[in-house]
Each structure stands twice: as structure tokens, then as C-alpha cells.
């Protein structure tokens, strides 16, 4: 059964949820930090204990988040003014022995900036449902990764391609005038429609593959967590498999995106690419990019073929020892081997439409990121525009720069017979992406002078005098490094 939430049902549900505080903060307060964290790890027992005396909110948490059967009277009281029968007619509940059980996952969702939404998706803890081809995933790690990596600058129009449960569109609704969401799967479209109805949001929902539903249209921002998992050209799960071989679908999407971006418009995607023997992975991804876009491709993880296949089979809830799973893994590994795939990369792709000569950067960022990447993405896009405007050496030398807050200089040494011997130094960011750049002594001195009160050419002259080196030699050595440091946010114009 597909969910279908009428405006009256949505109103009644919101009334009930507001009354019992079925929201992220309310649930967290009821569960407490420990049980909340345990639930996040898939351990329900602490949450059952924490909700035992939780009244109507406890009933909803057990019913909707813990997969419990709750008695008719308790569910009726918790959901009033919506009746359990009406909730079942909307596809949310199932009548079972002893009362009611959830038919779908219906959970509060928000982030540090608020939100206060509810998201509908398929139940993930029931393997039978999870293994259906059209399973609609809820708000998972990848959803949150994309949401936090998306710049939240106020915009006119946003496209969420492959909306699924609708989570990216919810986040977009906070900073866009109009949101369009697409999907190719009828079950996902029904789920997204129900999520939007529940939140009282007017999102344009379109049916069709990739960019076909928005042919001829342009957006200020396009976000997508597409089915990007590389494998043979088949679809076992529509949320995961594109139906095209390897990373072909992502390559085609990246190539087609810019014509759907307004001038200056940004696309923010998650994706995976193959590392093929004898080929440089950055060259592979660079070859997908069309003309007319600044692009920042950040590789966050690299997995070997066995880990890649195992991870995604486990994600689908398969018993990896079952004959079906083994046959699937065998075919998948054979395909990867035949394509000479040595590893699979995963990361972010940011594109911004530009009329100027484009900047394309493809790089690794393997360290953990604790802060949301969205502000960093927005800043990166601004920095490459600034660097483009200061592409001439004279322009850069005339600029006044300062070292960003929280930059540290690390010196390291190696032990020898005489004690410690200096072996080098590096400057590194202490917040956001922990970019780190090796520096020599003159460069370290130049950076120390970047305090926002003197242009670079004055600092170079001082340095040339102090180190008794020609200023030209310092300029030649320093400017490429300065550009890199600006691009990585260590030096701020
Ligand atoms: C990984 S899920 C992402 C769901 C959601 N946007 C999120 O961030 O959690 C991918 C979504 O893309 C949809 N999809 C699969 N193939 C598609 C295609 N060819 N065109 C558009 N959407 C597609 C799936 O139905 C699924 O909802």
C-alpha cells in the first residue's frame, strides 16, 4: 500500500504530534542522551525502558520508532484527533494482534538550525521490506552528509533530484522560494508526497528519470543523492542502483547538469567513481565535467572491491552467507575485476555555472570532518572567484591577506645522535576541513606577516631584505603556495 495523506489527516497528525511533542527535541528529552545514542546504534532496549513512563509521547516513540505493538486505546489517545483507523487508511499503521503497529517509518527530523519536520519512509528494521526493489530509504548517513554539505545561501529555485523520502527538499524549503523534487519510483514519489503533505509544504513533485522531468528548466541550486553505487548494469534496489554500468550514470548526470543551472547556480551531489587500473581517478572524474563550470570534487573514502560489495550488501540487510547474497557478490566482484576496477572512491561533487575560465579541483580529503561542510563549500566557491579575479601576479601581490582564525604552525623534528633535528614545518587549519600545507622558513615568515594590514608585495620586500634574497625569487616561490592557501581557506583576502 502506498501512503496517501490528505490535508485533513496532515492537520490532525500535526496537532497530535505538537500536543505530545513528537519532535526531535521532545523525543531526545524523553529518551535521554544514553538511550537516544543507543537507539542510533540500533539498540532499542534502553529506549524501551526510557519510554515506559513516557505517556502519549512514549506510546508514539514505541509505536513509530521502536517497532512495538501498542494497544488500541493508547494509540487512539496519542494520535487524537486522528483515529488509528484513519492513520491505517493513510498507510501509516497496521492492525495487528494486540493493537496497532507502524506500517511506515514516521520520525521527526531537524538539524542544528532547527527544521522541525517529520519524514516518512519504509521501515528499515524489517529485512523483508528492506529487500524489496522499491524500498524507500529514510534519513540515513548519506542523506545527512549531503544535507550538511549543501550551501544554505538563500536562493530562488531548488531541484532535489531523486528525492526518495523527501529529506533534501525539506532542508531546501528553508532557504528557497520554490522547491522541485523528482523521482523515478512510484513508491518514492508517494512517500515524498506524503512527507511534504505532513509538513504542509508546497513542493512541486515530478515523475521521471534524471533530468527528463525538468527538460528546458534551470535552477539556482540542484541537490542530489542519486543511486550512485557502482556495479553491473542492473537494478536490485532503486535507491542504490542506477541501472547503468559502473559510474556511467553519474558521469552522464554531471555532464548534463550545467544546462539546468542558472548563471552562478550550484549543484551539490554525492557520488562514487571507479579507480581503474592504469588510469588516474582525478582524470576520470575531470573528463565528465562539461565546459562552463567551476568544479570541486572531494574524495572522502576509497574502498577496495571486496569492501565495496560487502558494505552495500550489508546496507541492504542481506545475510551475506545466503546462496543469493553469495551469487550476487560473486557476479559483482567478477564485473569489477573484468573492468579492471582496483577501488571505488566516494565523495562530494560541487559544480557552479560560470561564464569565466573555469577552475576545476579534484582532491582527497580523507580526514574526519566534524563541522558541516556546506559553509565551506560556499566559501570555496567564493574563493575561486576571488582567485580568478586575482589571477595575475600583480593583482595577487597587491592584495592584503590575513591568516584565518585558528591556523596553527606545526614544526616537527627527527631524533638523531645530537638530539632533535628540525625536519620541517606545516600550517594547518584547526576547524572545518583540516587542510595542511608544508612550509619552509621564508613562507612561514610571510604567513606570520599576513595580518590584514599590509599588501603581499610589501611583505615580500621585507622578507627579501631580511633573508637577503631577491624579491623575484620569493615571488616565484611564494605565489603558487599563496593561491593554494587561499583556496583551502588558510589565508583570507
Ligand atoms: C539514495 S536515494 C536518495 C534519497 C534522498 N534524496 C536522500 O537524500 O536520502 C536515491 C533516490 O533516487 C531515486 N532514483 C533512482 N533512479 C533514479 C533516476 N533514474 N532518476 C531519478 N531518481 C532516481 C530513487 O528512487 C531514490 O529515491
Amino acid at each position: 500500500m502506498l501512503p496517501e495523506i490528505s490535508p485533513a489527516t496532515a492537520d490532525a497528525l500535526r496537532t497530535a504530534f505538537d500536543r505530545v511533542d513528537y519532535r526531535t527535541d521532545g523525543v531526545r528529552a524523553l529518551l535521554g542522551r544514553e538511550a537516544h545514542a543507543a537507539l542510533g546504534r540500533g539498540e532499542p532496549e534502553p529506549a524501551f525502558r526510557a519510554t515506559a513512563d513516557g505517556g502519549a509521547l512514549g506510546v508514539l516513540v514505541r509505536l513509530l520508532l521502536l517497532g512495538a505493538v501498542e494497544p488500541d486505546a493508547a494509540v487512539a489517545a496519542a494520535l487524537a484527533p486522528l483515529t488509528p483507523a484513519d492513520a491505517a487508511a493513510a498507510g501509516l499503521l497496521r492492525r495487528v494482534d494486540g493493537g496497532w503497529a507502524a506500517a511506515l517509518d514516521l520520525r521527526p527530523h531537524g538539524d542544528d538550525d532547527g527544521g522541525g519536520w517529520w519524514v516518512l519512509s519504509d521501515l528499515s528494521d524489517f529485512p523483508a521490506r528492506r529487500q524489496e526493489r522499491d524500498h524507500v530509504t529514510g534519513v540515513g548517513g548519506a542523506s545527512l552528509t549531503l544535507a550538511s554539505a549543501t550551501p544554505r545561501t538563500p536562493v530562488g529555485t531548488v531541484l532535489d533530484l531523486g528525492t526518495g523520502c523527501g529529506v533534501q527538499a525539506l532542508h531546501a524549503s528553508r532557504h528557497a522560494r520554490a522547491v522541485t523534487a523528482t523521482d523515478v519510483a512510484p513508491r518514492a514519489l508517494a512517500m515524498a508526497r506524503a512527507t511534504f503533505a505532513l509538513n504542509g509544504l508546497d513542493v512541486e513533485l515530478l515523475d521521471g528519470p534524471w533530468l527528463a522531468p525538468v527538460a528546458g528548466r534551470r535552477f539556482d541550486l540542484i541537490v542530489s543523492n542519486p543511486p550512485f553505487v557502482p556495479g553491473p548494469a542492473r537494478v536490485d534496489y532503486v535507491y542504490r542502483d542506477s541501472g547503468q554500468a559502473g559510474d556511467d550514470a553519474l558521469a552522464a548526470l554531471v555532464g548534463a547538469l550545467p544546462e539546468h543551472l542558472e548563471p552562478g547556480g550550484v549543484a551539490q551531489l554525492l557520488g562514487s567513481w571507479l579507480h581503474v587500473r592504469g588510469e588516474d581517478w582525478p582524470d576520470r572524474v575531470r573528463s565528465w565535467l562539461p565546459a562552463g563550470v567551476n568544479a570541486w570534487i572531494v574524495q572522502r573514502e576509497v574502498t577496495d572491491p571486496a569492501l565495496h560489495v560487502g558494505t552495500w550488501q550489508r546496507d541492504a540487510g542481506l545475510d551475506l552467507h545466503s546462496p543469493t547474497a553469495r551469487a550476487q557478490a560473486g557476479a559483482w566482484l567478477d564485473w569489477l575485476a573484468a573492468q579492471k576496477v582496483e577501488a571505488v572512491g566516494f565523495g562530494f561533487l560541487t559544480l557552479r555555472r560560470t561564464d569565466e575560465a573555469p577552475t576545476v579541483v579534484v582532491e582527497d580529503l580523507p580526514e574526519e570532518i566534524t563541522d558541516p561542510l556546506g559553509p565551506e563549500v560556499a566559501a570555496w566557491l567564493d574563493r575561486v572567484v576571488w582567485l580568478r579575479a586575482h589571477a595575475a601576479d600583480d593583482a595577487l601581490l597587491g592584495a592584503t591577506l590575513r591568516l584565518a582564525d585558528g591556523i596553527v604552525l606545526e614544526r616537527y623534528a627527527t631524533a638523531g645522535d645530537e638530539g632533535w633535528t628540525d625536519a620541517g614545518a606545516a600550517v594547518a587549519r584547526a576547524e572545518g576541513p583540516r587542510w595542511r600545507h608544508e612550509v619552509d622558513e621564508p613562507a612561514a615568515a610571510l604567513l606570520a606577516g599576513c595580518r590584514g594590514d599590509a599588501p603581499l608585495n610589501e611583505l615580500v620586500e621585507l622578507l627579501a631584505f631580511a633573508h637577503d634574497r631577491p624579491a623575484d625569487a620569493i615571488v616565484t616561490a611564494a605565489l603558487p603556495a599563496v593561491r593554494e592557501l587561499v583556496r583551502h581557506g588558510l589565508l583570507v583576502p
Side-chain angles (χ1 to χ4, degrees):
M1 170 177 187
L2 297 178
E4 195 169 342
I5 296 191
S6 68
T9 300
D11 271 349
L13 269 174
R14 282 196 299 267
T15 304
F17 290 168
D18 281 339
R19 189 188 65 249
V20 307
D21 205 13
Y22 187 62
R23 291 188 168 276
T24 46
D25 288 350
V27 171
R28 205 171 284 141
L30 175 66
L31 293 183
R33 197 183 49 77
E34 198 176 316
H36 190 261
L39 188 57
R41 296 191 300 267
E43 302 154 12
E45 193 50 33
F48 273 110
R49 297 159 76 101
T51 58
D53 300 322
L57 180 56
V59 170
L60 289 189
V61 169
R62 288 193 300 275
L63 179 73
L64 299 173
L65 299 182
L66 302 181
V69 173
E70 291 291 310
D72 183 59
V75 175
L79 283 181
L82 192 71
T83 66
D86 284 344
L92 308 178
L93 298 184
R94 301 176 285 134
R95 220 280 168 251
V96 292
D97 280 353
W100 297 95
L104 293 174
D105 188 302
L106 197 182
R107 63 183 58 223
H109 173 66
D111 59 18
D112 290 346
D113 297 328
W117 302 294
W118 298 278
V119 178
L120 267 170
S121 63
D122 275 318
L123 293 166
S124 57
D125 294 340
F126 292 72
R129 175 74 237 165
R130 181 130 183 112
Q131 282 162 31
E132 291 197 11
R133 186 181 186 278
D134 61 352
H135 176 89
V136 180
T137 50
V139 181
S143 329
L144 296 174
T145 299
L146 176 61
S148 74
T150 302
R152 297 297 172 193
T153 320
V155 287
T157 52
V158 175
L159 169 65
D160 170 17
L161 193 158
T163 192
C165 63
V167 55
Q168 307 302 333
L170 294 182
H171 284 265
S173 71
R174 213 163 37 191
H175 64 108
R177 193 170 32 76
V179 181
T180 300
T182 68
D183 210 290
V184 77
R187 189 169 179 82
L189 286 162
M191 206 71 81
R193 189 172 295 111
T195 293
F196 302 146
L198 188 52
N199 291 283
L201 285 179
D202 181 17
V203 174
E204 179 189 30
L205 192 58
L206 302 175
D207 177 2
W210 306 113
L211 292 155
V214 292
R217 291 176 58 182
R218 289 180 176 175
F219 299 86
D220 296 318
L221 174 66
I222 299 178
V223 291
S224 187
N225 169 12
F228 59 71
V229 178
R234 51 179 286 176
V235 177
D236 291 321
Y237 306 107
V238 74
Y239 69 84
R240 182 190 81 181
D241 306 319
S242 67
Q244 296 178 49
D247 47 17
D248 288 357
L250 184 64
L253 177 61
V254 166
L257 274 174
E259 65 188 82
H260 294 277
L261 289 174
E262 295 285 3
V266 173
Q268 184 67 28
L269 318 179
L270 294 184
S272 265
W273 36 84
L274 302 178
H275 289 218
V276 176
R277 194 178 316 134
E279 188 183 278
D280 204 19
W281 76 264
D283 288 347
R284 181 181 186 85
V285 180
R286 240 181 242 118
S287 75
W288 301 346
L289 296 166
V293 286
N294 288 334
W296 189 27
I297 317 295
V298 180
Q299 179 167 270
R300 297 282 296 141
E301 278 171 23
V302 181
T303 49
D304 63 47
L307 181 57
H308 172 69
V309 171
T311 300
W312 287 107
Q313 285 201 308
R314 210 171 276 116
D315 180 77
L318 295 184
D319 168 6
L320 303 195
H321 290 271
S322 70
T324 323
R326 285 194 52 201
Q328 187 195 67
W332 201 338
L333 289 167
D334 283 348
W335 182 88
L336 290 165
Q339 305 303 312
K340 303 196 184 78
V341 174
E342 293 178 324
V344 179
F346 162 81
F348 303 102
L349 302 96
T350 304
L351 312 182
R352 181 195 245 169
R353 194 168 159 167
T354 176
D355 293 332
E356 299 185 339
T359 300
V360 172
V361 176
V362 183
E363 59 193 345
D364 274 292
L365 178 57
E367 289 84 16
E368 198 187 336
I369 307 175
T370 44
D371 310 308
L373 200 65
E376 186 68 23
V377 169
W380 187 93
L381 291 167
D382 290 346
R383 288 181 214 134
V384 298
V385 170
W386 189 90
L387 284 168
R388 169 71 44 210
H390 294 75
D393 286 356
D394 281 351
L396 187 57
L397 284 166
T400 301
L401 301 168
R402 73 171 173 82
L403 213 50
D405 297 337
I407 302 296
V408 291
L409 177 72
E410 303 166 354
R411 291 188 190 281
Y412 35 94
T414 49
D417 293 343
E418 309 287 312
W420 292 106
T421 310
D422 282 347
V427 281
R429 281 180 60 170
E431 52 194 38
R434 306 293 198 264
W435 297 114
R436 191 170 175 282
H437 290 256
E438 302 271 323
V439 286
D440 58 14
E441 281 311 316
L446 183 70
L447 291 176
C450 287
R451 291 195 296 261
D453 50 12
L456 214 48
N457 50 18
E458 279 182 26
L459 299 177
V460 167
E461 290 296 336
L462 285 174
L463 209 61
F465 183 72
H467 287 256
D468 196 18
R469 281 174 67 183
D472 284 357
I474 293 183
V475 166
T476 309
L479 288 200
V482 166
R483 291 196 173 90
E484 286 295 292
L485 292 166
V486 170
R487 205 164 51 71
H488 276 163
L490 287 91
L491 277 177
V492 184

